[in-house]
């Protein structure tokens, strides 16, 4: 028996040496629970259950075709970052909140994210599941866990769980994604740029602190995308300034300020809150790396979307418009539609965050947080 175990260990080690991409934790399995909050970067299909016909949904082709072979509600051709993180951590795919309510186990976690959601309740209200509503849904799951595991068991699960967030993108998108409105904060009559940014930040931190009070201790935070360089805004810049334009710099400017303030905030919380741990992933920097040098990471096209129409395929609703274009090989593209990365790009982001690349990850790797 001892020799068999020895030879098995050797075989596993050789397998992981030869196939490192798929052998993250085969020798030392990581088991935990993931609770996921946020926007379309993380939404697995929660918006499919919103009755409002104008809700932001991706429940039609060609979404989902690369991996699932059918649309799931994910805004990409396949899986998203939380799907890959669950895989790396040897967890099953985390169910959406509405799946979890009916026929899925909740012991490995639940995904509450909603496409279009922001930190502020008024961001695309009635079309999305707001961050505060996502918090309310988490409380429903918390009660179910307490009923299933008892007070002590549920407390242990919640304190060891990791809470992933991708939120805030839409609070800024809604200010700029209307061609008839000037691209500046003057359209906000009730707030200066700094005041608005503080409102967004405070709303996010308030929700996160509520989770901390409910027992959460480990947080994974993804910052905001370089929104001004997504195909939608490259296209708007092209129409406004001509073929020599590139990104919408005004939008990227406020996003950079938000991300810097967010990073500082979590460093402060780490010092202030007992037992507080976090991993901060800068998708802003990670995506810019792909924009600047796509070939190094196995891509050919970084600026234009795979699906859409117009300049950079940044316009229209992928799959819904009568005249949308679809690229021949989605694996060559960094971006799938006007706003969202491809599955291949999401896999890259998940690996970088998991492993803790020092250029784009602060505090600790997601792998160590999940340990």
């Amino acid at each position: 028996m001892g020799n068999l175990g020895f030879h098995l260990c050797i075989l596993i080690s050789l397998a992981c040496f030869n196939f490192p991409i798929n052998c993250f934790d085969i020798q030392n399995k990581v088991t935990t629970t993931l609770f996921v909050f946020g926007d379309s970067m993380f939404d697995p299909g929660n918006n499919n259950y919103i009755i409002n016909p104008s809700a932001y949904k991706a429940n039609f082709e060609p979404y989902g075709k690369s991996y699932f072979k059918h649309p799931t509600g994910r805004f990409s051709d396949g899986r998203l970052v939380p799907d890959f993180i669950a895989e790396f951590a040897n967890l099953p795919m985390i169910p959406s909140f509405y799946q979890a309510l009916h026929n899925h186990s909740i012991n490995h976690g639940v995904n509450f994210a909603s496409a279009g959601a922001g930190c502020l309740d008024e961001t695309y209200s009635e079309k999305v599941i707001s961050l505060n509503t996502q918090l309310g849904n988490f409380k429903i799951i918390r009660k179910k866990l307490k009923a299933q595991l008892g007070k002590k068991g549920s407390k242990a699960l919640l304190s060891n769980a990791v809470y992933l967030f991708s939120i805030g993108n839409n609070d800024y998108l809604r200010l700029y994604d209307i061609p008839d409105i000037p691209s500046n904060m003057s359209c906000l009559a009730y707030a200066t740029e700094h005041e608005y940014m503080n409102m967004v930040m405070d709303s996010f931190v308030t929700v996160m602190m509520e989770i901390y009070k409910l027992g959460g201790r480990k947080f994974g935070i993804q910052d905001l995308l370089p929104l001004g360089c997504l195909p939608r805004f490259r296209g708007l810049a092209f129409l406004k300034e001509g073929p020599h334009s590139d990104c919408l710099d005004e939008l990227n400017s406020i996003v950079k300020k938000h991300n810097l303030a967010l990073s500082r905030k979590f460093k402060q919380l780490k010092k202030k809150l007992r037992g507080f741990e976090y991993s901060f992933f800068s998708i802003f920097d990670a995506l810019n790396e792909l924009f600047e040098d796509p070939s190094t990471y196995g891509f050919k096209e970084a600026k234009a979307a795979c699906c859409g129409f117009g300049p950079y395929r940044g316009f229209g609703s992928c799959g819904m418009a009568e005249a949308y274009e679809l690229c021949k090989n989605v694996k060559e593209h960094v971006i799938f539609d006007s706003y969202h990365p491809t599955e291949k790009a999401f896999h890259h982001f998940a690996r970088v965050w998991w492993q803790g690349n020092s250029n784009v990850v602060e505090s600790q790797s997601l792998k160590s947080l999940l340990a």
Side-chain angles (χ1 to χ4, degrees):
M1 188 69 178
N3 286 337
L4 179 61
F6 172 77
H7 290 303
L8 183 59
C9 265
I10 292 293
L11 287 171
I12 289 173
S13 297
L14 286 172
C16 286
F17 178 77
N18 289 316
F19 305 101
I21 291 177
N22 296 317
C23 279
F24 284 108
D25 288 298
I26 194 168
Q27 299 179 76
N28 237 333
K29 286 192 175 183
V30 176
T31 303
T32 190
T33 304
L34 284 175
F35 292 113
V36 184
F37 301 81
D39 52 28
S40 56
M41 296 295 287
F42 285 0
D43 182 0
N46 279 306
N47 279 17
N48 292 346
Y49 299 89
I50 298 176
I51 297 174
N52 188 337
S54 62
Y56 297 114
K57 299 180 182 181
N59 56 352
F60 46 85
E61 293 185 350
Y63 289 109
K65 292 197 74 172
S66 293
Y67 180 77
F68 299 100
K69 308 307 179 186
H70 61 84
T72 64
R74 290 168 173 81
F75 277 82
S76 188
D77 60 302
R79 291 162 290 179
L80 311 178
V81 165
D83 299 318
F84 290 113
I85 296 302
E87 179 185 319
F88 301 161
N90 297 294
L91 298 173
M93 197 168 284
I94 306 301
S96 72
F97 170 67
Y98 293 100
Q99 289 175 320
L101 281 180
H102 296 99
N103 53 11
H104 281 70
S105 169
I106 59 176
N107 289 353
H108 294 298
V110 177
N111 189 326
F112 306 95
S114 168
C119 298
L120 302 175
D121 284 346
E122 58 262 37
T123 296
Y124 301 129
S125 60
E126 299 182 3
K127 296 181 179 181
V128 305
I129 305 163
S130 70
L131 183 58
N132 273 311
T133 302
Q134 293 178 40
L135 174 63
N137 292 340
F138 167 70
K139 291 178 180 179
I140 292 171
I141 294 298
R142 181 173 174 266
K143 287 182 180 179
K144 288 173 69 74
L145 286 168
K146 190 174 181 180
Q148 291 178 8
L149 305 175
K151 185 176 180 180
K152 186 176 180 181
S154 63
K155 183 178 179 180
L157 183 147
L158 293 172
S159 65
N160 191 52
V162 171
Y163 301 82
L164 295 182
F165 284 88
S166 168
I167 198 72
N169 290 294
N170 293 298
D171 297 298
Y172 298 102
L173 278 178
R174 74 186 183 106
L175 306 179
Y176 286 81
D177 198 15
I178 305 173
D180 295 331
I181 293 179
S183 296
N184 57 54
M185 300 300 293
S186 64
C187 62
L188 279 179
Y190 58 87
T192 65
E193 177 184 295
H194 182 72
E195 288 169 343
Y196 185 76
M197 188 174 72
N198 284 341
M199 288 165 56
V200 172
M201 194 83 62
D202 290 346
S203 295
F204 171 43
V205 173
T206 297
V207 168
M208 198 207 67
M209 286 299 298
E210 182 66 17
I211 292 173
Y212 178 85
K213 291 175 184 176
L214 294 171
R217 292 295 179 269
K218 300 179 179 182
F219 296 86
I221 305 94
Q222 177 176 287
D223 71 2
L224 306 190
L225 296 154
L227 299 174
C229 292
L230 297 179
R232 170 69 173 178
F233 295 102
R234 288 186 193 271
L236 288 176
F238 177 90
L239 294 176
K240 181 180 177 182
E241 302 170 15
H244 300 294
S245 64
D246 193 13
C247 301
L248 193 62
D249 293 332
E250 293 173 53
L251 178 51
N252 276 348
S253 176
I254 189 170
V255 168
K256 287 179 183 178
K257 292 173 185 176
H258 173 100
N259 287 343
L260 181 59
L262 190 64
S263 172
R264 288 173 177 168
K265 186 65 178 180
F266 274 86
K267 288 174 183 174
Q268 293 169 1
L269 291 173
K270 172 72 173 173
K271 294 178 180 178
K272 178 182 177 182
L273 301 176
R274 184 177 180 180
F276 181 88
E277 297 182 65
Y278 76 99
S279 176
F280 187 96
F281 171 53
S282 177
I283 195 170
F284 185 99
D285 292 335
L287 184 50
N288 270 334
E289 288 178 355
L290 301 190
F291 285 153
E292 292 167 6
D293 190 13
S295 61
T296 295
Y297 302 95
F299 297 94
K300 289 186 178 180
E301 176 55 61
K303 294 183 178 181
C306 172
C307 186
F309 67 85
Y312 300 98
R313 294 200 184 104
F315 296 89
S317 179
C318 173
M320 289 290 282
E322 291 183 7
Y324 73 91
E325 301 170 358
L326 189 64
C327 66
K328 292 182 179 179
N329 187 355
V330 67
K331 293 186 183 299
E332 294 180 351
H333 283 253
V334 172
I335 305 296
F336 183 65
D337 63 10
S338 302
Y339 304 99
H340 305 96
T342 58
E343 180 186 67
K344 183 178 176 181
F346 276 127
H347 180 261
H348 170 74
F349 299 142
R351 285 199 63 201
V352 167
W353 196 359
W354 179 258
Q355 295 171 337
N357 184 309
S358 59
N359 292 330
V360 294
V361 179
E362 295 178 9
S363 185
Q364 61 182 298
S365 70
L366 203 52
K367 179 181 178 180
S368 66
L369 193 66
L370 280 153

